[in-house]
Amino acid sequence: MKILIKNGHVVDPSQSLDTTADVLVENGHVKEIAPHINVKCERVFDAKGLAVIPGLVDMHTHLREPGYEAKEDIVSGTQAAAHGGVTTVACMPNTKPVIDSSILVSGVKARAEQHGFAHVEVIGAITKNSEGKELSEMGDMAARGAVAFSDDGHHVSSARVFLLAAQYAKALNKPLISHAIDEELNTQGFMHEGIVSTRLGIPGVPSVAEDMAVARDCLVAQYTGAHVHIAHVSTQGAVDLIRHFKKQGVHVTAEAAVHHLTLTDEACSGFNTAAKISPPLRSMEHVRALRQGVLDGTIDIIVTDHSPHASEEKDVEFRYAPNGFPGLETSLGVLLTDLYHTGQMDLSTLINKMSCEPARLFGLPGGTLRPGAVADIAIVDLAREWTVDSNRFYTRGKFTPFEGKKCKGQVVATLLAGKFVMENGEIQCN
Ligand SMILES: [Zn+2]
């Protein structure tokens, strides 16, 4: 099967490519990129006026399977990915049961290979049942293809357990991903502690809760030499700490979530449970620090933290609503609108942080259009205007703080291993 994508604006930071060219895909792989390719193909896609980029790689997705299929499953979650131009997701292990053994890693991977609309990588739990007490079967899970370890949803409170985990992770050459926020302070609050929480009368989570956890985890990385990756950084203090430890040569990397780069705690006004998430949406000074961290390289990658819930779970009083909302179908559109079209970030920076760098950091295929690479491609209309409407989502999570947002820039087609899995907003089931 040969597909020719003609006349697109090819942006691939992995090979410093930013030019108008044709992309030839053959048997699921990128065959050639050149100004004019004339080969007989089964399918020719006219990409004139469109950006052709490596498919996005999201290192922080909750697919909810097994156990929470009312929120999401592998099919609906990967369809949401394809809809948003995301071709690889790494799924978090806070499922039921928790993915803390090799059989669960294999099970999720096998089901995703059969029924998925995106490549699925599995992140195993650091501790059994993510309880923070006893280490999981890290070695066995790594042998079955777990790409990293995390107790996401919780910080590993015990320094002893986290240090031990880091020593194992180092031996296995896999990163530990830390949901770095002090557990005790976090569970006492429901949104960012600041003017808005005071106004609403909702107990807050102070930013220092995150800073303290990040400091400890960076120190553990320094002491053990393990790769510690800080998930969804949301505070100025955390950015400063990570910058400091990186300068010392410590193997620490970090991600920022789309919503932390684009929303503030004002989104919680009116007790809007759609905006409830952990770590919480913070004030503008933190948002600015995060953006600066992305630009100066302190923040390595951008993730969605796609966390769908059933509608009835979110439709409750603010403090009782579960944390999180879906992000796979809005991530690129929101960032193009708020950061690219406003001139704050260029396209190659965004694509690099959303595709090339995550693949490179975690040693995954994808994140590149180099000849020979798997043909995971997103085709984007940078000028197309659209309005976020959760009724059009493929995810089961229909609550989002971006509801009704006017966006500029939309994915119009997604190829997974050389096959169109989404075109014009429609998932291709073939
Ligand atoms: Zn988390």
Side-chain angles (χ1 to χ4, degrees):
M1 175 84 177
K2 282 186 197 170
I3 298 171
L4 185 59
I5 303 167
K6 291 281 296 175
N7 293 315
H9 171 202
V10 180
V11 182
D12 179 8
S14 78
Q15 39 183 341
S16 303
L17 215 55
D18 189 342
T19 182
T20 300
D22 295 350
V23 179
L24 178 63
V25 172
E26 194 177 317
N27 298 327
H29 291 79
V30 178
K31 176 82 175 169
E32 187 188 358
I33 298 181
H36 301 286
I37 300 175
N38 286 308
V39 184
K40 212 168 154 14
C41 289
E42 279 90 339
R43 170 94 196 258
V44 177
F45 186 100
D46 180 12
K48 192 160 191 283
L50 304 175
V52 178
I53 64 172
L56 306 179
V57 176
D58 184 32
M59 292 309 299
H60 201 134
T61 298
H62 297 271
L63 288 178
R64 306 299 195 200
E65 190 179 335
Y68 294 115
E69 286 83 355
K71 299 172 191 278
E72 193 81 292
D73 66 17
I74 287 167
V75 173
S76 62
T78 56
Q79 287 186 340
H83 193 199
V86 178
T87 48
T88 299
V89 296
C91 63
M92 283 295 177
N94 56 343
T95 49
K96 195 168 136 189
V98 167
I99 301 172
D100 61 4
S101 66
S102 55
I103 184 117
L104 284 157
V105 173
S106 306
V108 169
K109 283 181 81 78
R111 204 170 122 66
E113 264 163 44
Q114 266 196 310
H115 302 288
F117 291 78
H119 306 294
V120 174
E121 301 288 348
V122 179
I123 296 165
I126 296 173
T127 64
K128 286 188 179 157
N129 204 29
S130 285
E131 284 171 354
K133 291 178 184 145
E134 212 182 319
L135 291 189
S136 64
E137 298 174 7
M138 290 169 69
D140 288 353
M141 286 194 284
R144 296 292 180 93
V147 290
F149 299 99
S150 181
D151 277 357
D152 190 54
H154 298 285
H155 188 227
V156 179
S157 293
S158 161
R160 179 186 63 80
V161 171
F162 193 69
L163 186 73
L164 195 59
Q167 285 163 338
Y168 274 95
K170 167 132 173 84
L172 296 167
N173 201 22
K174 299 282 179 199
L176 286 185
I177 302 177
S178 175
H179 180 110
I181 189 157
D182 181 85
E183 277 287 290
E184 205 181 345
L185 288 169
N186 192 32
T187 50
Q188 300 294 317
F190 306 96
M191 63 177 292
H192 173 61
E193 183 185 82
I195 293 165
V196 182
S197 69
T198 307
R199 197 175 74 215
L200 294 174
I202 293 175
V205 185
S207 57
V208 72
E210 180 168 331
D211 307 345
M212 288 190 295
V214 168
R216 189 206 72 178
D217 294 352
C218 287
L219 286 166
V220 169
Q222 183 170 42
Y223 181 73
T224 59
H227 176 188
V228 172
H229 178 79
I230 308 294
H232 38 50
V233 172
S234 75
T235 67
Q236 182 171 20
V239 174
D240 290 344
L241 281 160
I242 293 161
R243 189 181 286 121
H244 164 81
F245 279 94
K246 278 189 161 184
K247 271 194 195 136
Q248 315 295 311
V250 177
H251 197 182
V252 55
T253 55
E255 69 190 31
V258 173
H259 42 270
H260 288 129
L261 289 164
T262 54
L263 292 173
T264 66
D265 51 354
E266 287 288 355
C268 300
S269 296
F271 305 97
N272 181 11
T273 58
K276 184 165 183 263
I277 192 151
S278 175
L281 299 173
R282 300 203 185 267
S283 58
M284 199 59 211
E285 60 187 310
H286 294 289
V287 174
R288 277 196 210 100
L290 271 193
R291 289 179 184 175
Q292 184 52 42
V294 170
L295 288 171
D296 70 21
T298 304
I299 305 287
D300 300 83
I301 64 174
I302 299 174
V303 300
T304 68
D305 194 4
H306 176 85
S307 309
H309 295 285
S311 295
E312 58 272 22
E313 295 175 283
K314 278 291 225 180
D315 196 12
V316 295
E317 205 181 306
F318 194 88
R319 68 176 65 201
Y320 301 118
N323 290 311
F325 46 80
L328 287 167
E329 289 161 274
T330 47
S331 59
L332 189 61
V334 165
L335 291 180
L336 287 173
T337 305
D338 288 358
L339 299 180
Y340 168 69
H341 285 298
T342 57
Q344 295 185 61
M345 269 179 218
D346 59 28
L347 192 57
S348 67
T349 302
L350 280 179
I351 305 312
N352 194 35
K353 302 279 180 183
M354 299 177 84
S355 175
C356 315
E357 271 303 288
R360 194 187 67 77
L361 265 190
F362 289 85
L364 308 178
T368 181
L369 299 177
R370 257 191 216 102
V374 62
D376 295 342
I377 302 171
I379 301 172
V380 186
D381 185 341
L382 295 171
R384 185 186 285 190
E385 296 184 4
W386 61 288
T387 303
V388 176
D389 174 3
S390 58
N391 290 313
R392 306 186 75 161
F393 286 174
Y394 281 88
T395 174
R396 298 207 173 117
K398 305 296 184 191
F399 271 77
T400 167
F402 295 115
E403 187 75 51
K405 183 179 171 68
K406 302 241 181 295
C407 289
K408 188 173 180 184
Q410 190 173 40
V411 181
V412 295
T414 306
L415 284 89
L416 182 72
K419 269 173 128 171
F420 281 90
V421 286
M422 190 280 287
E423 265 192 90
N424 289 319
E426 301 289 330
I427 295 298
Q428 309 293 302
C429 296
N430 45 25

